[in-house]
């Protein structure tokens, strides 16, 4: 056992004295030590139930012959962090989570790990750590929130943000907003649409690192507790068979996850996290792979914000495995990839049928023949940009309009809510990238304001920052290179015409090469917005959005 390094021999007598201080018995120390990485806290709705999940996991581990020992991981609530300086601290926690989990796992020589994440950066951060530490590991999330109910309709957090825009437009009263406020988020769990947290928890199943139901069983269902117990049992089986994360998270498994991403219509943030996870196994993931996979993968699901269905509906329809099973039948999945079930993904999904073709479309009746995401390139984004194609209305798939340029998110929101943005405009928000932000803030507030003001089918938004999975419309993020390093987005002037063609995967500024070269020669780097603390260190080390904003 790896934990023998801290348990066995005369040299380890001091170590054993510290285990005695923990109240561990000789019987417990004779078994494999399993680290339970629990992201429980009392500020994130998706994490307030993780103490229950952790206790269930510990029971499963103990029942299967291991000794469970819990330690924490941090998590930020993106919704609470939205629209202020706190959002600069969201993406950056992904690397803090990976680093701190690696440190704890290596320092204490655990034989295996069970990761208990739930929300946006917590899931990929722990996946990155799992690949680094490479001891038998199983993931079990806290599960999604149930959908809210407002005026007889299901709803979610994205509707809540859009209600604020509607109030600014005068189409909703303060009482209407209060109705959303009190009823949009009715339970604990990750927010109920196919936002980033649920996207990553579903993709954990597709990668093979989570048991079936990990991404979809609602947080408040007792089935979630059973899943957690089975996760504890499963990690002990993996330990006995010596199945490790790098046996599971392979290049082929990552391509499977990207295929499932396209079918589900996941958050654009997956195009930051998939490259970062790939980076941990030495796979140099090019985001243009998304277009290749999209071209052959139909979009089968339109969960909120793209459509009227929610995670609870996907769960009842058969979950992620039902989607994968359909993809397998058309030869779109590498079925030989290993999973934490002890079976290959092809074996594991057999028998998981689609129980509702309105929630999970059949392969011959997809929402679109191409996947949910697209990578756009052109002279405005030479290294790429990302859009959630499945959440864009048809009339905005091609669009040309004048640039309305803003140097930060707050200025753009003021202009949108002040009625200064009109139909046809292309809102450009720059200096919000990984270095320029720093921290690559999400832009849910401006996208929600655009939708709430009734401009969702006529106005586009482009940024070197990123979007929440709750964003919808022609919202194009991750523009690379970013403004802070002199990317073309830094050279856009008010009134320049921007041409967007999502079908053709192009994003162009209709300005001559000569004019762009002249502007580039005149451009000067801006002083950093933050010069001290973690954000300053992050800004110095972080790469661009097209590379997953990994640290180097």
């Amino acid at each position: 056992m790896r934990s023998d390094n801290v348990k066995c021999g005369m040299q380890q007598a001091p170590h054993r004295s510290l285990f005695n201080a923990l109240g561990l018995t000789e019987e417990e120390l004779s078994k494999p030590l399993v680290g339970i990485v629990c992201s429980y806290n009392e500020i994130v709705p998706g994490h307030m139930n993780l103490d229950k999940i952790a206790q269930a996991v510990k029971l499963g581990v103990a029942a299967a012959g291991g000794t469970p020992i819990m330690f924490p991981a941090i998590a930020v609530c993106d919704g609470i962090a939205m629209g202020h300086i706190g959002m600069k601290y969201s993406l950056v926690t992904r690397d803090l989570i990976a680093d701190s989990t690696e440190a704890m796992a290596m320092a204490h020589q655990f034989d295996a790990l069970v990761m208990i994440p739930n929300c946006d950066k917590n899931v990929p951060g722990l996946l990155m750590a799992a690949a680094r530490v490479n001891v038998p590991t199983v993931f079990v999330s806290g599960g999604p929130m149930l959908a809210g109910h407002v005026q007889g309709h299901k709803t979610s957090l994205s509707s809540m943000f859009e209600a604020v825009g509607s109030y600014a437009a005068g189409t909703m009263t303060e009482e209407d907003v209060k109705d959303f406020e009190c009823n949009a988020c009715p339970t604990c769990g990750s927010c109920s649409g196919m936002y980033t947290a649920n996207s990553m928890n579903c993709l954990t199943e597709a990668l093979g690192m989570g048991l079936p139901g990990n991404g979809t069983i609602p947080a408040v269902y007792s089935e979630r507790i059973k899943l957690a117990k089975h996760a504890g049992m499963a990690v002990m089986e993996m330990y006995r068979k010596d199945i490790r994360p790098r046996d599971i998270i392979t290049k082929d498994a990552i391509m499977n996850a990207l295929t499932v991403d396209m079918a589900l219509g996941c958050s654009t943030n997956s195009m930051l996290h998939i490259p970062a996870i790939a980076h941990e196994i030495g796979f140099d993931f090019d985001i243009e792979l998304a277009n290749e996979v999209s071209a052959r993968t139909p979009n089968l699901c339109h969960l909120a914000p793209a459509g009227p269905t929610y995670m609870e509906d996907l769960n009842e329809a058969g979950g992620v495995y039902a989607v994968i099973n359909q993809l397998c039948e058309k030869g779109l999945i590498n079925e030989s990839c290993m999973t934490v079930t002890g079976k290959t993904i092809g074996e594991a999904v057999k028998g998981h049928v689609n129980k509702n073709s309105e929630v999970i479309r059949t392969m011959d009746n997809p929402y679109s023949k191409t996947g949910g995401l697209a990578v756009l390139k052109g002279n405005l984004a030479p290294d790429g940009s990302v859009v959630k194609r499945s959440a864009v209305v048809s009339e905005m798939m091609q669009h040309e309009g004048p640039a309305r340029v803003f140097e930060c998110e707050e200025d753009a929101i003021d202009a949108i809510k002040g009625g200064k943005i009109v139909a046809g405009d292309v809102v450009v928000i720059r200096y919000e990238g990984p270095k320029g932000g720093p921290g690559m803030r999400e832009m849910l507030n401006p996208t929600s304001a655009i939708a709430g003001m009734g401009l969702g089918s006529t106005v586009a938004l482009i940024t070197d920052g990123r979007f929440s999975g709750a964003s919808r419309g022609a919202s194009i993020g991750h523009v690379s290179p970013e403004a802070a390093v002199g990317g073309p987005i830094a050279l856009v002037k008010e009134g320049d015409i921007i041409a967007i063609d999502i079908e053709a995967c192009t994003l162009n500024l209709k300005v001559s090469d000569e004019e762009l070269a002249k502007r580039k020669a005149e451009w000067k780097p801006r002083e950093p917005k933050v010069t001290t603390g973690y954000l300053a260190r992050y800004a110095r080390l972080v790469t661009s959005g097209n590379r997953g904003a990994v640290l180097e």
Side-chain angles (χ1 to χ4, degrees), residues 207-287:
L207 275 173
M209 289 298 292
L211 296 174
N214 177 68
T216 60
I217 297 171
V220 295
Y221 282 15
S222 297
E223 192 66 27
R224 176 63 56 178
I225 300 296
K226 293 183 183 179
L227 182 74
K229 292 175 182 175
H230 284 132
M233 297 174 194
V235 81
M236 293 309 300
E237 187 65 19
M238 289 181 69
Y239 171 77
R240 284 187 277 272
K241 293 179 177 178
D242 195 29
I243 299 172
R244 299 168 181 251
R246 289 195 191 183
D247 300 322
I248 296 172
I249 307 174
T250 63
K251 180 177 178 179
D252 288 335
I254 286 169
M255 295 307 292
N256 279 349
L258 183 58
T259 300
V260 176
D261 185 324
M262 294 299 168
L264 287 174
C266 290
S267 163
T268 52
N269 281 312
S270 66
M271 295 309 294
L272 286 172
H273 302 322
I274 290 175
I277 296 162
H279 180 75
E280 296 293 341
I281 64 162
F283 174 19
D284 187 11
F285 183 94
D286 185 339
I287 62 169

Side-chain angles (χ1 to χ4, degrees), residues 7 16 19-20 23-31 67:
K7 294 189 306 188
R16 290 194 295 276
F19 284 121
N20 285 333
L24 291 175
T25 65
E26 288 186 10
E27 291 83 358
E28 287 173 306
L29 289 176
S30 70
K31 299 174 184 178
T67 297

Side-chain angles (χ1 to χ4, degrees), residues 20 57 192 217 333 412 436 480 488 491 505 546:
N20 285 333
V57 168
S192 57
I217 297 171
I333 293 290
S480 301
L491 311 178
C505 297
N546 69 297

Side-chain angles (χ1 to χ4, degrees), residues 89 530-537:
Y89 286 88
V530 179
T531 57
T532 60
Y534 178 54
L535 285 180
R537 295 197 301 276

Side-chain angles (χ1 to χ4, degrees), residues 173-202:
T173 67
E174 187 173 346
E175 290 73 22
D176 292 332
V177 175
K178 187 71 173 179
D179 194 6
F180 275 92
E181 185 180 328
C182 294
N183 297 295
C185 298
T187 73
C188 63
S190 48
C191 296
S192 57
M194 188 55 82
Y195 309 146
T196 305
N198 292 327
S199 294
M200 293 311 301
N201 283 320
C202 288

Side-chain angles (χ1 to χ4, degrees), residues 381-400:
D383 293 338
S385 60
V386 182
V387 64
K388 188 170 183 175
R389 171 166 37 195
S390 59
V392 179
V393 294
S394 58
E395 53 265 45
M396 289 299 288
M397 296 299 279
Q398 289 88 28
H399 179 76
E400 283 193 19

